[in-house]
Amino acid sequence: MENKATEQTEINPHPYEYIHNPGAICEDESIFIVVLVKSKVDNFEYREAIRYSWGTSFKHLVFLLGASENTSIQNNVTKESQIYNDIVQENFIDDYCNNTLKTIMGFNWAHTYCHSSRYHLFVDDDVFVVKDNLDFLYRPPTPEQTLFIGRLFQNSVPYRDNGSKWYISWEDYPFDRWPPYIAGGAFVTSSRVTQMLHFAFPFVKYLGIDDAYLGIVSKKLGLRLTTWNGFMMNTPKRTHTKLNYRRIVAYHRIDEPQKMYTVWKNYLEFKKELRTPIPFKP
């Protein structure tokens, strides 16, 4: 009997077009890591805070945005893109329910324009990143390395309360538990995993809960999700106190742009103290 290829129909098309696309930033032949920051379209001050704080630690960093129906906001994004050339924006509406569209856009863009990068770091714009604590990524990877690492959730229950922003109907997801998934606020994928997810998205039913959706796609692909304690620590309210910069990769819920600068200042002081020799005491 003759073997025939099985045709699959796309059930999750992504028919959106770029408004802004800084694809040329990844023209380097060899890139270690690219940072993709999921940002609300009108969070101008958050993006500015990242650019002038922890974002300075990375050579390749972009912001992922949807579009605004407000002409003034959209015009300001255009100016921002012209100044910094770090905005990836498509023409879907930037809304919480479209977070999965934004995540898919990020993976598609990373694969298409930054496939030479060894790793891709996805974070939200209220997250502070300590680059030095990503040193575990420097271990020589295999060519086909399938790394998907962050804060792992297992046996999580979907929200069935239709008053919740995380609401998911039984029709959209008819199961009692989510498959294991990595929290969406901060995670790293190897280039190979980015590629695999990029090609799988069109064939997996869309869900508006982006991290749970990535868990579903990862399960279908047979990907192994890895947890790392350094990801996604909630930042204490008193952000002027020094945090555990020795171990944490990503601090979450920095609720004001100014606090991003405060945490960055404290981090620089911490690094300076590390370089200060211990006084000799006879």
Side-chain angles (χ1 to χ4, degrees):
M1 181 178 178
E2 183 180 355
N3 291 327
K4 294 183 179 181
T6 301
E7 293 186 3
Q8 292 187 346
T9 303
E10 290 191 7
I11 58 175
N12 180 26
H14 192 81
Y16 305 100
E17 297 180 353
Y18 289 112
I19 300 173
H20 299 292
N21 177 8
I25 73 165
C26 287
E27 288 182 342
D28 301 18
E29 290 186 5
S30 179
I31 301 172
F32 181 72
I33 193 165
V34 174
V35 183
L36 301 101
V37 183
K38 294 171 286 180
S39 181
K40 188 179 176 184
V41 66
D42 58 351
N43 277 4
F44 298 101
E45 293 183 355
Y46 275 92
R47 293 193 287 276
E48 196 78 351
I50 289 173
R51 290 187 185 104
Y52 290 99
S53 62
W54 65 263
T56 60
S57 302
F58 294 90
K59 183 179 179 181
H60 302 91
L61 183 148
V62 297
F63 296 92
L64 308 176
L65 281 62
S68 176
E69 295 178 304
N70 183 308
T71 302
S72 176
I73 291 175
Q74 191 56 51
N75 287 341
N76 285 334
V77 169
T78 296
K79 293 176 183 177
E80 182 183 13
S81 177
Q82 291 170 346
I83 293 170
Y84 297 106
N85 192 36
D86 61 2
I87 301 295
V88 178
Q89 184 183 40
E90 285 185 339
N91 59 352
F92 58 85
I93 297 302
D94 196 303
D95 189 85
Y96 187 83
C97 66
N98 285 337
N99 265 356
T100 302
L101 290 180
K102 188 176 292 183
T103 298
I104 290 173
M105 175 185 73
F107 274 93
N108 291 346
W109 184 88
H111 171 70
T112 303
Y113 296 99
C114 288
H115 58 271
S116 63
S117 174
R118 185 181 296 179
Y119 298 107
H120 300 120
L121 167 62
F122 289 80
V123 297
D124 289 346
D125 63 5
D126 63 347
V127 169
F128 182 91
V129 175
V130 182
K131 182 184 179 182
D132 291 343
N133 295 336
L134 288 167
D135 57 356
F136 64 90
L137 296 176
Y138 285 85
R139 300 166 188 164
T142 61
E144 297 298 309
Q145 183 183 35
T146 55
L147 181 72
F148 192 164
I149 188 168
R151 183 183 177 191
L152 181 65
F153 284 89
Q154 302 190 72
N155 298 314
S156 293
V157 178
Y159 283 81
R160 302 300 186 183
D161 176 5
N162 59 14
S164 170
K165 69 177 182 178
W166 300 293
Y167 168 71
I168 195 79
S169 70
W170 285 98
E171 181 181 359
D172 286 334
Y173 187 74
F175 304 101
D176 292 327
R177 305 273 178 179
W178 292 118
Y181 65 86
I182 297 291
F187 60 85
V188 173
T189 59
S190 63
S191 183
R192 173 62 175 156
V193 166
T194 298
Q195 178 190 51
M196 293 171 70
L197 291 170
H198 159 75
F199 283 115
F201 290 145
F203 305 102
V204 182
K205 179 183 175 182
Y206 182 89
L207 282 177
I209 313 298
D210 58 339
D211 45 13
Y213 178 71
L214 290 179
I216 293 170
V217 181
S218 296
K219 182 177 180 180
K220 289 180 179 293
L221 290 171
L223 291 174
R224 178 175 175 266
L225 306 181
T226 304
T227 194
W228 188 270
N229 291 334
F231 281 90
M232 296 295 294
M233 292 294 292
N234 289 337
T235 308
K237 292 182 178 180
R238 296 181 63 200
T239 54
H240 61 275
T241 22
K242 293 184 179 179
L243 305 176
N244 183 9
Y245 297 118
R246 290 181 182 275
R247 296 184 179 180
I248 303 303
V249 171
Y251 281 103
H252 193 212
R253 296 179 181 171
I254 297 182
D255 55 5
E256 296 175 12
Q258 188 57 44
K259 290 182 180 179
M260 196 74 77
Y261 294 111
T262 302
V263 177
W264 175 244
K265 178 182 177 181
N266 290 337
Y267 172 66
L268 294 179
E269 291 176 354
F270 165 79
K271 291 194 72 173
K272 184 177 179 181
E273 290 174 3
L274 283 183
R275 292 193 296 266
T276 302
I278 301 173
F280 174 71
K281 294 182 179 180

